Amino acid sequence: MTIQKIGIAGAGTMGTGIAIAAASNGCDVRLQDISEDQLKSAQHRIVTFLARQVAKERMTEDQARDIADRIEVISELTVFAACDMVIEAIFEDFKTKATLFENLSELIRGDMPIATNTSCLTVGNLAKHVKTPERFIGMHFFSPAEINPIVEVVRGKDSHPAIVDLGLEFARAIGKRPILCKDSPGFALNRFFCPYTNEAVRALAEGLGTTAQIDHVAQECFGAAAGPFQVMNLIKPQINLNAIRNLDRLGPFYAPVPEMVKLGDSGLDWEIGELDVPDADQTKKIADMLMGGTFLAVLQCLDEQVASAEDIDFGAAHALKFSKPPCAMMNDLGMMGVERLIRSNLHRYKLPTPGSLAMIGQLAA
């Protein structure tokens, strides 16, 4: 089966980005939203993005016009009946998504593939609201979806292998690099990115450094394009907090620290002042805390076979912009070095040593 006509429910930032990516690679797109204002905003964003690409000589005016013509903005779900696949990209709220899937199930044919762009809700729970859940998968795009190359393709408990393969094929067809994931909280990348940001806030709370200093150390340590506080401000601390809260079921290690909850619930951004470069001892303490939390989450992810080491590192490098991705870093540090870094969290939370620790040095990356 070839996906030529794609329906996208939700014309916000993610839905519009997915629409641009699909149309840029030859798909006909029906971009739907119940808000006329949202649809107008989506149209403006599409035109602005394409104009910028023309100005940068990444495409011609004729190519930009063809892409824009392949995107139709609509307010009714009924148009999806003629599509080959539907991707949901609405607000990250379970009840709202569940209602949409129930409505979609009545409007489209029973074998049409449906994907959710959720970043933190489980595919299996959402699938309970889809008629014929075998056709349901996760396709988590990363922002900005029109540019970011990574898509987590999530296989739910009931997802048919042929539909999972179709999701992988469609992702590649629109120029993305898919990462195949098990349906587990946080999937592959948020599984360790959330603890990474949580440990950054813990370092702040324990007085190890300022937000600027912790960002600086993170950038040096992971080769990150931006530090955790800067990234949290970009995606919004409240959204980051919601993602962390969805990992709570994995145990106390994943629970948000009180300072993360306070700032996230306030709706404010982190204050990032001028950088006073930390000394060597300060840098080591911050780096150890960040690496310890990140590495433990990755090792648990590998133990549970959520994703491969190769995919985790590729996603870290291309979605999160870590030029030193975690599995490669652990290979370089060696088993004893990594064990030292995760030891305090293992003791604090009474966790077993991850079996994947023994594979360090041989982790595919």
Side-chain angles (χ1 to χ4, degrees), residues 4-65:
Q4 176 58 41
K5 187 176 291 186
I6 186 79
I8 300 172
T13 300
M14 288 304 297
T16 304
I18 297 168
I20 293 171
S24 296
N25 287 276
C27 291
D28 297 318
V29 181
R30 305 294 178 265
L31 180 60
Q32 182 272 341
D33 204 289
I34 58 173
S35 167
E36 289 296 332
D37 287 342
Q38 193 76 281
L39 291 174
K40 289 177 183 177
S41 176
Q43 287 177 306
H44 175 73
R45 184 176 166 203
I46 292 165
V47 170
T48 301
F49 173 81
L50 294 174
R52 190 161 59 245
Q53 300 308 296
V54 171
K56 293 180 179 179
E57 299 184 348
R58 293 174 179 168
M59 65 177 66
T60 66
E61 289 187 4
D62 285 346
Q63 288 172 324
R65 191 178 304 110

Side-chain angles (χ1 to χ4, degrees), residues 197-262:
T197 60
N198 207 34
E199 291 304 294
V201 177
R202 191 190 310 279
L204 177 69
E206 293 185 6
L208 298 186
T210 65
T211 53
Q213 288 173 328
I214 296 166
D215 272 1
H216 173 76
V217 172
Q219 288 176 278
E220 293 292 316
C221 181
F222 292 94
F229 290 100
Q230 185 180 350
V231 173
M232 283 189 280
N233 282 351
L234 287 171
I235 63 176
K236 294 305 170 187
Q238 188 173 32
I239 291 173
N240 189 68
L241 173 60
N242 288 341
I244 295 174
R245 281 172 166 157
N246 276 285
L247 301 185
D248 272 357
R249 72 197 83 172
L250 295 171
F253 165 63
Y254 291 90
V257 297
E259 292 76 11
M260 178 77 80
V261 174
K262 182 178 179 181

Side-chain angles (χ1 to χ4, degrees), residues 184-336:
S184 178
F187 308 138
L189 302 188
N190 272 349
R191 176 66 178 263
F192 68 85
F193 181 74
C194 287
Y196 162 76
T197 60
N198 207 34
E199 291 304 294
V201 177
R202 191 190 310 279
L204 177 69
E206 293 185 6
L208 298 186
T210 65
T211 53
Q213 288 173 328
I214 296 166
D215 272 1
H216 173 76
V217 172
Q219 288 176 278
E220 293 292 316
C221 181
F222 292 94
F229 290 100
Q230 185 180 350
V231 173
M232 283 189 280
N233 282 351
L234 287 171
I235 63 176
K236 294 305 170 187
Q238 188 173 32
I239 291 173
N240 189 68
L241 173 60
N242 288 341
I244 295 174
R245 281 172 166 157
N246 276 285
L247 301 185
D248 272 357
R249 72 197 83 172
L250 295 171
F253 165 63
Y254 291 90
V257 297
E259 292 76 11
M260 178 77 80
V261 174
K262 182 178 179 181
L263 195 284
D265 283 341
S266 74
L268 300 174
D269 286 348
W270 294 102
E271 291 186 10
I272 304 175
E274 293 295 320
L275 173 64
D276 179 13
V277 177
D279 61 31
D281 181 62
Q282 191 180 11
T283 295
K284 182 179 184 303
K285 288 178 180 178
I286 295 169
D288 282 0
M289 182 170 284
L290 294 176
M291 287 189 290
T294 302
F295 292 164
L296 177 55
V298 170
L299 290 170
Q300 290 181 336
C301 189
L302 292 171
D303 277 3
E304 296 164 24
Q305 298 182 324
V306 175
S308 69
E310 179 183 4
D311 278 351
I312 288 170
D313 271 11
F314 192 91
H318 292 85
L320 306 179
K321 305 302 181 185
F322 285 10
S323 64
K324 302 175 188 176
C327 294
M329 286 181 69
M330 287 192 283
N331 282 339
D332 289 342
L333 287 166
M335 185 173 69
M336 292 182 64

Side-chain angles (χ1 to χ4, degrees), residues 299 303 331 335 338 353-363:
L299 290 170
D303 277 3
N331 282 339
M335 185 173 69
V338 174
T353 300
S356 295
L357 184 68
M359 296 300 296
I360 287 176
Q362 304 174 51
L363 296 175

